[in-house]
Amino acid sequence: MIFPLSIVSLLGLVCLALLASPYPYLAPGAVLGLVGVTLFYRKPTWGLLGIAALVPFEGFFKDSSLSGTKFLGASLAVILMLQLAIHQIPSERLRSNLWRYLVWFMVLYFLSLLNTDDLGMSLGHLRELSVGLVLFVITLLIGRELNLDLFAKFVTLSVTMTCMLAMFSSKYQDQGRAAGLLEDPNAFAMLIAFAVPLGLLLVVRSPKMLHRLFWGVCCILLLGGMTKTESRSGLVVLFLSLVIGAWHYRTELARIRPRHLGFAMLGVVLVIPLAIAVMPAGYVARIQSLSILSAGAKSQDESLGRRASYIVVGSQMIRENPLLGSGPGTFPLHYATTGYAKAFSANRKVGDLYRRAHNTYLEIFSELGIPAGLLFVGMLALGLYNLIRARRLWMQRNNREEADMMTHLAMSFLSLTLFLMFLSAPNQKYVWIMLALTSVLRLKAEERPFPEAKA
């Protein structure tokens, strides 16, 4: 207990110093800091749960250099480093099959950084990516103790709350499209697609009917929020993840009786017309515009035209620098010099000219080179395989509960990886938390012994 007592003494001195300073009103903050440090020291997983719950609310801190997630992340990082130093956490927890991809990815990243076209933009990109890397290490260290049911509840509730804000208040909408507390409706749709499988898991696993109804209402609100975002990519990603979930539960179809089919048909008859009636007309038009996707950058749909132009510019960057790319974060610099930037600029502002690729994979391939892009894709693919492997092991042990958890986590992680094709978000916190969690969950499944066969 020497370390906790030293922290208490240090914070006590900080309180005295603040009371004697021109800012005595900051002294209670040190007391709250002491409480937080004590909690995270004893239960560090609560800090990780807090980060997961605060991700949808980061818009509240957009005008502040220190957000809630950054504060929790920095606090956790310091505490876990000290616990590693005094061997309260074994260093073996850092073991992961993802390191072989991540280490070489970062080597190529720094080589590209040394060869960048704009050092300032690249350093800014590195600063953003470092947040995800810190969360990756934090999750590896404490992921074993993470309560996955609480994780699902925190994520579902926090995203549902922002859905309610976006659905019923124009303040949280961008030109009529729900954006929650984020700036991009597609980024908000990504959070919803991540939360829906976790909400469905809570509906399936909740022991009481009242709890199931509550989580069912949350899922309905999430689906309503997805509709309000008018995100075409969100609709496609959500559909694919739900199809995978339905395949996992295919064995339950044997329990369906004719009377169940009657109720199912009645639900379909009621739900489909209702969904069509409440679906915004703009969303229907955006979905129909997918039929002209092959029209390229000159498409009548401006959004599809912009995305096609990103592919054209990114492909050119890859051809010019296939090995190390143009440097981290430099895609906007190259895009701004093309005619596409002026053609698709709404008001000719600098921010409209310097656009990101809105495709994480394209951005990494063009900015860091083909080898780094392949390593990044391989790392995400291995993360998905980790969950598939963990699910298979739990199914072999006849542990349906754990297998269901792995399936829904895989659905959520797949949603994130698919959404990266429509967003530039290499530092998305859920991506790095889930990436580390896939490795932890596979190791836990492999370490659990198989039940002995009865004689």
Side-chain angles (χ1 to χ4, degrees), residues 62-327:
K62 62 182 179 181
D63 296 327
S64 174
S65 59
L66 182 64
S67 65
T69 53
K70 290 180 181 178
F71 175 76
L72 289 177
S75 303
L76 272 180
V78 172
I79 290 172
L80 293 177
M81 285 174 57
L82 291 172
Q83 288 185 337
L84 269 176
I86 61 178
H87 304 292
Q88 284 194 353
I89 295 180
S91 59
E92 289 78 11
R93 290 193 180 183
L94 290 172
R95 182 166 59 96
S96 171
N97 59 356
L98 297 169
W99 283 117
R100 55 188 172 185
Y101 289 91
L102 183 56
V103 168
W104 284 110
F105 173 78
M106 292 307 300
V107 168
L108 292 174
Y109 186 98
F110 283 110
L111 288 176
S112 179
L113 182 66
L114 294 175
N115 194 44
T116 182
D117 292 343
D118 189 295
L119 184 60
M121 298 180 75
S122 295
L123 290 176
H125 189 275
L126 176 61
R127 184 172 60 253
E128 293 178 357
L129 184 64
S130 64
V131 175
L133 297 175
V134 169
L135 287 176
F136 178 83
V137 175
I138 288 174
T139 307
L140 283 181
L141 289 172
I142 62 177
R144 287 175 172 270
E145 288 82 28
L146 183 65
N147 187 319
L148 296 177
D149 288 318
L150 278 179
F151 178 77
K153 291 176 181 178
F154 276 43
V155 171
T156 303
L157 283 174
S158 59
V159 179
T160 301
M161 291 173 64
T162 54
C163 275
M164 293 174 63
L165 291 174
M167 290 172 65
F168 304 114
S169 174
S170 59
K171 178 182 178 181
Y172 303 102
Q173 297 176 7
D174 180 18
Q175 297 180 353
R177 299 178 61 191
L181 298 173
L182 307 178
E183 296 180 354
D184 187 354
N186 284 324
F188 186 47
M190 183 184 194
L191 299 185
I192 297 174
F194 176 72
V196 167
L198 301 179
L200 292 175
L201 173 70
L202 297 172
V203 173
V204 172
R205 295 182 60 163
S206 295
K208 297 181 180 180
M209 181 58 66
L210 186 61
H211 295 170
R212 292 188 177 186
L213 288 174
F214 174 78
W215 295 117
V217 170
C218 288
C219 289
I220 292 173
L221 289 172
L222 289 172
L223 294 175
M226 177 66 79
T227 302
K228 192 64 177 176
T229 63
E230 300 184 12
S231 173
R232 292 166 293 201
S233 53
L235 182 65
V236 174
V237 169
L238 187 58
F239 175 76
L240 290 176
S241 64
L242 292 179
V243 167
I244 293 174
W247 179 84
H248 171 72
Y249 290 103
R250 67 192 185 283
T251 56
E252 303 294 329
L253 296 177
R255 301 170 56 184
I256 296 178
R257 298 292 182 264
R259 65 176 183 274
H260 298 147
L261 290 176
F263 284 110
M265 292 297 294
L266 177 61
V268 170
V269 170
L270 294 176
V271 169
I272 292 181
L274 180 62
I276 295 175
V278 300
M279 186 175 292
Y283 196 19
V284 177
R286 286 175 61 83
I287 295 173
Q288 291 174 343
S289 67
L290 291 175
S291 61
I292 59 172
L293 186 61
S294 59
K298 294 183 179 180
S299 168
Q300 294 178 357
D301 187 285
E302 185 175 342
S303 176
L304 295 179
R306 277 198 304 268
R307 290 188 180 276
S309 70
Y310 301 147
I311 295 175
V312 172
V313 175
S315 301
Q316 179 63 30
M317 292 171 63
I318 294 172
R319 286 192 294 269
E320 293 175 356
N321 299 283
L323 292 180
L324 294 177
S326 61

Side-chain angles (χ1 to χ4, degrees), residues 383-432:
L384 282 172
Y385 177 75
N386 285 339
L387 291 174
I388 294 171
R389 171 67 176 168
R391 174 188 175 275
R392 185 183 302 124
L393 289 171
W394 290 120
M395 292 290 286
Q396 291 173 357
R397 295 182 176 90
N398 295 319
N399 191 328
R400 184 74 188 199
E401 184 175 339
E402 290 292 339
D404 290 347
M405 175 64 78
M406 296 304 106
T407 299
H408 285 260
L409 288 174
M411 292 164 59
S412 291
F413 187 58
L414 178 64
S415 298
L416 294 177
T417 57
L418 291 176
F419 241 111
L420 292 180
M421 291 190 292
F422 310 104
L423 285 173
S424 292
N427 63 324
Q428 219 289 334
K429 296 178 179 62
Y430 284 152
V431 171
W432 290 99

